[in-house]
Amino acid sequence: MTAYILRRLAQMLPVLLLASFAIFAMIYAVPGGPVAVIVGENASQEEIAAAIQRYGLDRPMVVQYLDWLGRALTGDFGLSLHSRQPVLQLIGERLPATAQLALAAIIVALVLGIPVGIASAVKPNSWLDRVLSGWSALALGVPTFWVGILLILLFAVELRWLPSASRHVPFWESPFEALRSLALPAITLGLYVSGILARFLRASLIGESRSDYVRTARAKGVPENRIVGLHMMRNALLPFVTIVGLMMANFIGGAVVTEAVFTYPGLGRLLIQAISTRDYPLIQGCILVILVGYMLINLLVDLLYAWIDPRIEYR
Amino acid sequence: MTGLAAAGRLLRRLLARRGAVLSLAFLALVGCAALFAGLLPLDPLRQSIADSLKPPSTEAWFGTDELGRDILARVVYGARTSLVTAFGAVFIAALIGVPVGLVAGFYGDWRDSVLMRCIDVLLALPNILFAMALIAVLGRSQGAALVAVGVAGIPSFARIARAQVMALRQLDFVTAVRGFGGGPGYIMFRTILPNALSPLVVQAIVLASIAILLEAALSFLGVGVPPPTPSWGEMLRTGKSYLYEAPTYAVLPGIVLTLTILSFDTIGRAMTALIDRDETDAVRETAGGRR
């Protein structure tokens, strides 16, 4: 098991190295290059010379990259150009908010998506299946940010039950306030993910319902809910988990957009702010952290996969 | 049967499905609005502060925005922005992705490994993140949004083209062309490509829906098409600030955006189902893309 995890981590390295180089090289593609990024476009000759001297910008690019990577590995992403605070500190302040939102959204998605997927797979092409499949198609196709706007209109503007802008309240400090703040963003993001879960769980359960072992179980007189819940679910989870892993990229994109809808102070909004103020060290830091997070989630999905199916060996 | 004839037959069978017909009709409406926007008595840029944030009325069917501009006019011209960005992006994605996939699948040697590793790196970043990084470098403009969305679509075309080549290159008709002395370029682009067209066309349609969504999302985040160019995502972004004063502002453009995305998606899925039903397993594996 440990060897498998280590091997998977090692496989991540080349992609991570290439991606980190691309993220580093970003500032070289900006008009004016890294100097303009640091001192601005209207800097004097002295300022430019001082910046080149100070940041060692006259060294070969590969040397600068290795230097940058070395510092990034120790958690030093440099200072934000805008606020002059360490990038890692800014990211660290936002990370718990994003993690809390992601977790809440996943819970919403599981609670909504799995029952819908099972219910529509049990009687395929029935009216219930059509309604539920239509619902999951809508959850997938309607843009997340518009769903968020509609939810704000309903629950904040019309009913005045929930706030239209969400703050980050740590759950253990004030569970009620945290839930009030999280409810709309978590439902917005969770709804979208539940559409993915329901659609693929339905497909994979229907696939299983045609197998021999299901027919045998039925012939033996095993109750239907046991067949679905115990026999089919376990096998259907395999292709399902793979798809969910592939869909994690959409989840992260959805999280960035959801944070923007609810002005939720997470990593996604930090990145958007960084892009609009052209704060390149902060942009690089945010993208690198999100990328690492994304790859770790994928690793987790793989491990889950092996845990569900004991036939898969950790090799 | 050539790929083009197959595509024509597919279109006829598509018209037998109700959802697909409704979607096509809606897209035709949006397409005409985008093409002939200039002929309509609508001005998306004329401001009139006295008339700001008016609800829908007979003069302004969708109401007015915070600068008193006609929201319907902006939705109509926004269709132009959306469709131009989406089609431009699909074109870029196909222009780069298809040859990459063809070469990788045709040779299958080191060229395959190198090209597909590059595609893997593109896939390693969630596409909205990739687009945002690209816009951070290129600066905010419609062109940058178009390129960013297009580059994010390259992997899907590359993978489908590659799978198609690998399925087709051993077949007799390809061997025959090789026997007649057809070179690699001729075989890839004149022999294999026309026969691999339908899954690629389906992918283009699926990608158009993703591209419209992605462009709208970027504009909604404030990094896409810059104002005052009308864009659906940008309208939702500003509309969101006036939810209490003018709730229809963010709702109506959202309906048009959502219907456009759902229409492309419906057509794409209907075509996938039709192809699935009567083509080979190789096609079945790839036509659905990542959806």
Side-chain angles (χ1 to χ4, degrees), chain A residues 216-277:
Chain A
T216 311
R218 282 213 178 102
K220 276 166 60 185
V222 179
E224 192 64 27
N225 56 359
R226 245 181 99 81
I227 296 181
V228 177
L230 213 68
H231 299 250
M232 279 162 66
M233 258 315 248
R234 182 122 195 184
N235 287 292
L237 277 179
L238 276 175
F240 173 68
V241 166
T242 317
I243 296 287
V244 171
L246 287 174
M247 286 290 182
M248 272 341 271
N250 300 27
F251 177 68
I252 286 176
V256 172
V257 172
T258 306
E259 289 184 4
V261 177
F262 295 95
T263 52
Y264 185 80
L267 210 51
R269 269 196 71 218
L270 186 67
L271 174 62
I272 297 163
Q273 284 163 1
I275 291 178
S276 46
T277 53

Side-chain angles (χ1 to χ4, degrees), chain B residues 167-191:
Chain B
L168 293 172
R169 67 173 176 194
Q170 305 299 349
L171 297 186
D172 289 345
F173 74 99
V174 178
T175 317
V177 175
R178 196 172 281 143
F180 292 143
Y186 186 89
I187 294 177
M188 274 189 271
F189 289 95
R190 301 293 297 274
T191 313

